[in-house]
Amino acid sequence: FFRTEIPEGLRRLPGPKPLPIIGNVLEMGSRPYLSLTAMSKRYGEVFQIQIGMRPVVVLSGIETVRQALIKQGDEFAGRPDLYSFRFINDGKSLAFSTDQAGVWRARRKLAYSALRSFSTLEGTTPEYSCMLEEHICKEGQYLIKQLNTVMKADGSFDPFRHIVVSVANVICGMCFGRRYNHDDQELLSLVNLSDEFGQVVGSGNPADFIPILQYLPSTTMKNFVNINARFNTFVQRIVSEHYATYDKDNIRDITDSLIDHCEDRKLDENSNVQMSDEKIVGIVNDLFGAGFDTISTALSWSVMYMVAYPELQERLYQELKDKVGLDRTPLLSDRPNLPFLEAFILEILRHSSFLPFTIPHCTSKNTSLNGYFIPKDTCVFINQWQINHDPELWKDPSSFNPDRFLSADGTEVNRLEGEKVMVFGMGKRRCIGEVIARNEVYLFLAIIIQKLHFQAVPGEPLDMTPEYGLTMKHKRCHLRATMRVRNEE
Ligand code: HEM
């Protein structure tokens, strides 16, 4: 890479000098989003590091990232062939695999349309505007009951442990047409392992770049392979049950709709993209995985921030009380009337930047950015954390201040400010679950804020230090929840 000829008129990428064999691994440290943000100040918005022997280009700055992912979108839309990615969804993941552009595009379109139709599908009763709303409202009520029970029994609760089951049930409802109890051991053992999954696939894991590490015994890697295998077996079993009971005239959920697509495709002689049934139905594995971990992490952080800032928690409650009242469950249609909640969510996404990097990208051909030459097949990290903490974009970026997203009189959300927050990526690989995610985080929060008040356990200081990974989580902890209004039971 260093000896590559640079085409005339283009410059060689700047960056720190690598050490033999390990490259810049030591400088990256255990919080790459911070070290790579610091390097961007020194080397600029496009620079190169070396992880092991492999060069990686790091992009920062909203305009530079927009240029790469939107204006030169096709050139930056690939995924690198990383060791850990091969274990996800048996190497057939929509989000992580190195599928050719045509196959990836066709799968992405299918995933997007299945997700949209099953979230906007009519609810089973007229009080809900769509299935997504119905699932969330029902799971929100179960969650409140569950937290109430746990509080009575134990006096405290672990936020992630319970939120993750509720969120997993929403995506299970859409993907598989079923839900699980909060004490279902099989589901619990899967969804509670997502921390270990994220730690391995976070950008910059040395084992992805230094081949020798793949041969050394590693408990983390062993656990990772095991989690993926269990996850695949879980989904496979549900898919087989769907094949056995599939009825063309009664498409029950996303899995059925993907099976249906395979059947239709066999009749479609004009279909020009060759894809196995496995690759089509396997999409449900990605949707389920992406659909519970990200949203549970967002909600769990939200609860932590409410505890850390009790005055903001009170403002959120007052807004709900004034605009929705306490007699009915909040709905999706209330969202425009709750600007402070909206601003609070935007600030959680910005301040925590719990997805500090997108999934790594890869160049599909020789290209250039800001005058620098970038060869084909170069791995590219997009530093979302840097954009969300860039002092050029944000006043006092390290302070947690939802008001930054509100108009001066506090009655409206400033949309342009909100669009600067980068957590869903941009361009061709932008998250396909964004609309669902924003609605789901909003509605779950509205439902729990209306009923519960959260506090730290006396004597247990709140630890807000994120643990690095694809999605960064807070340390597991215990909190207290008390009912705001008398339980109807
Ligand atoms: C990809 C963020 C929720 C499905 C991504 C990416 C990010 C992201 C950063 C990678 C973009 C890139 O590589 O440039 C989030 C956040 C969420 C969320 C912050 C919640 C707060 C969801 C949900 C689903 C979903 C609910 C589906 C049910 C996907 C899929 C991809 C993806 C399938 C891969 C797209 C591709 O590679 O073409 N998401 N996501 N996400 N997301 Fe999400």
Side-chain angles (χ1 to χ4, degrees):
F1 190 75
F2 289 101
R3 276 179 248 113
T4 315
E5 286 265 320
I6 308 288
E8 219 179 296
L10 294 180
R11 288 171 290 164
R12 194 177 289 279
L13 286 157
K17 220 174 151 76
L19 290 173
I21 302 171
I22 59 168
N24 302 108
V25 165
L26 298 178
E27 288 127 292
M28 276 178 57
S30 59
R31 298 188 186 284
Y33 55 103
L34 296 181
S35 56
L36 297 182
T37 296
M39 284 186 209
S40 74
K41 289 190 188 130
R42 182 156 177 210
Y43 299 108
E45 295 185 346
V46 188
F47 66 93
Q48 177 193 290
I49 51 168
Q50 205 174 294
I51 311 183
M53 304 293 280
R54 191 160 172 173
V56 172
V57 169
V58 183
L59 304 186
S60 325
I62 196 158
E63 285 314 322
T64 294
V65 169
R66 197 169 276 148
Q67 175 67 35
L69 299 190
I70 297 179
K71 298 198 183 121
Q72 295 172 229
D74 283 329
E75 293 154 29
F76 285 90
R79 293 283 188 224
D81 178 13
L82 297 184
Y83 177 67
S84 61
F85 290 7
R86 295 180 205 159
F87 297 96
I88 307 174
N89 198 354
D90 263 339
K92 295 188 203 71
S93 160
L94 157 68
F96 294 91
S97 81
T98 54
D99 270 341
Q100 291 301 305
V103 172
W104 157 69
R105 221 173 281 122
R107 295 180 83 200
R108 184 175 158 101
K109 217 168 127 193
L110 254 177
Y112 185 73
S113 88
L115 205 52
R116 206 184 36 197
S117 37
F118 280 90
S119 54
T120 56
L121 200 71
E122 238 172 66
T124 55
T125 58
E127 69 187 288
Y128 301 113
S129 64
C130 61
M131 273 321 276
L132 179 69
E133 183 172 71
E134 178 163 349
H135 284 307
I136 302 170
C137 286
K138 289 184 174 165
E139 292 306 327
Q141 309 304 342
Y142 283 125
L143 177 63
I144 289 165
K145 263 195 196 150
Q146 178 71 14
L147 293 185
N148 218 359
T149 312
V150 175
M151 278 304 300
K152 276 188 193 138
D154 305 339
S156 68
F157 74 100
D158 165 355
F160 192 83
R161 147 81 175 75
H162 298 284
I163 288 172
V164 73
V165 178
S166 306
V167 173
N169 271 334
V170 172
I171 192 73
C172 270
M174 290 191 290
C175 287
F176 309 129
R178 66 170 68 167
R179 68 176 302 275
Y180 293 83
N181 279 330
H182 274 253
D183 49 14
D184 185 286
Q185 289 310 313
E186 190 184 11
L187 185 77
L188 269 179
S189 69
L190 276 183
V191 296
N192 270 293
L193 286 175
S194 59
D195 319 21
E196 281 168 287
F197 175 87
Q199 279 159 20
V200 172
V201 289
S203 292
N205 171 16
D208 277 336
F209 297 88
I210 306 177
I212 180 107
L213 297 181
Q214 294 155 17
Y215 300 100
L216 299 180
S218 148
T219 322
T220 319
M221 202 58 210
K222 216 168 125 194
N223 285 345
F224 176 76
V225 173
N226 185 269
I227 295 163
N228 279 289
R230 282 171 53 196
F231 199 84
N232 293 343
T233 311
F234 176 82
V235 175
Q236 264 313 313
R237 207 186 55 233
I238 302 178
V239 167
S240 306
E241 286 164 16
H242 274 69
Y243 267 110
T245 52
Y246 166 76
D247 169 5
K248 194 165 182 37
D249 299 321
N250 176 25
I251 302 299
R252 300 159 291 185
D253 46 37
I254 291 181
T255 308
D256 268 358
S257 83
L258 293 169
I259 295 174
D260 193 51
H261 181 83
C262 299
E263 301 297 313
D264 278 353
R265 196 180 43 120
K266 283 175 193 141
L267 304 173
D268 178 8
E269 285 159 10
N270 300 323
S271 166
N272 50 6
V273 179
Q274 289 296 314
M275 260 192 294
S276 63
D277 286 8
E278 247 186 316
K279 275 217 165 176
I280 294 173
V281 182
I283 289 173
V284 76
N285 195 319
D286 277 84
L287 295 179
F288 178 46
F292 78 80
D293 181 52
T294 47
I295 294 179
S296 338
T297 309
L299 287 170
S300 188
W301 274 115
S302 303
V303 171
M304 295 292 279
Y305 278 91
M306 280 197 274
V307 171
Y309 297 90
E311 67 291 358
L312 300 181
Q313 184 173 184
E314 212 41 44
R315 254 176 93 183
L316 288 165
Y317 176 65
Q318 287 304 331
E319 183 186 64
L320 253 163
K321 203 168 140 201
D322 293 349
K323 305 280 177 52
V324 177
L326 302 177
D327 301 331
R328 65 166 178 89
T329 306
L331 294 170
L332 288 176
S333 55
D334 293 309
R335 198 170 152 197
N337 303 324
L338 299 166
F340 187 62
L341 177 53
E342 195 72 27
F344 178 78
I345 295 169
L346 284 168
E347 186 64 341
I348 298 277
L349 298 177
R350 184 198 72 81
H351 193 266
S352 74
S353 289
F354 67 83
L355 249 138
F357 296 95
T358 66
I359 300 169
H361 286 234
C362 178
T363 47
S364 56
K365 57 190 244 208
N366 284 350
T367 182
S368 69
L369 188 64
N370 296 6
Y372 295 109
F373 175 63
I374 308 176
K376 180 176 189 283
D377 292 330
T378 304
C379 178
V380 180
F381 289 175
I382 314 285
N383 192 346
Q384 302 201 111
W385 193 95
Q386 186 280 335
I387 293 175
N388 294 334
H389 291 82
D390 187 347
E392 301 279 317
L393 285 183
W394 309 101
K395 191 169 163 257
D396 201 1
S398 59
S399 76
F400 184 79
N401 175 20
D403 284 307
R404 68 172 79 240
F405 293 107
L406 289 180
S407 58
D409 63 359
T411 57
E412 266 176 73
V413 175
N414 183 338
R415 297 277 150 211
L416 286 178
E417 282 299 290
E419 280 164 20
K420 289 183 342 197
V421 179
M422 177 145 169
V423 279
F424 294 99
M426 261 184 208
K428 309 258 171 203
R429 284 278 180 175
R430 191 180 183 115
C431 174
I432 59 168
E434 177 174 350
V435 173
I436 290 179
R438 288 189 193 269
N439 276 327
E440 196 168 335
V441 171
Y442 149 75
L443 193 49
F444 261 117
L445 275 180
I447 291 170
I448 60 177
I449 291 168
Q450 188 193 43
K451 297 274 188 208
L452 298 172
H453 176 256
F454 299 100
Q455 272 172 302
V457 174
E460 274 190 39
L462 211 59
D463 187 351
M464 303 282 280
T465 321
E467 299 192 317
Y468 181 68
L470 176 67
T471 52
M472 298 201 287
K473 312 229 174 351
H474 55 81
K475 285 200 184 70
R476 289 299 181 93
C477 65
H478 282 89
L479 298 174
R480 279 194 174 166
T482 40
M483 288 299 279
R484 291 271 191 185
V485 284
R486 195 171 286 282
N487 204 348
E488 295 89 326
E489 283 179 325

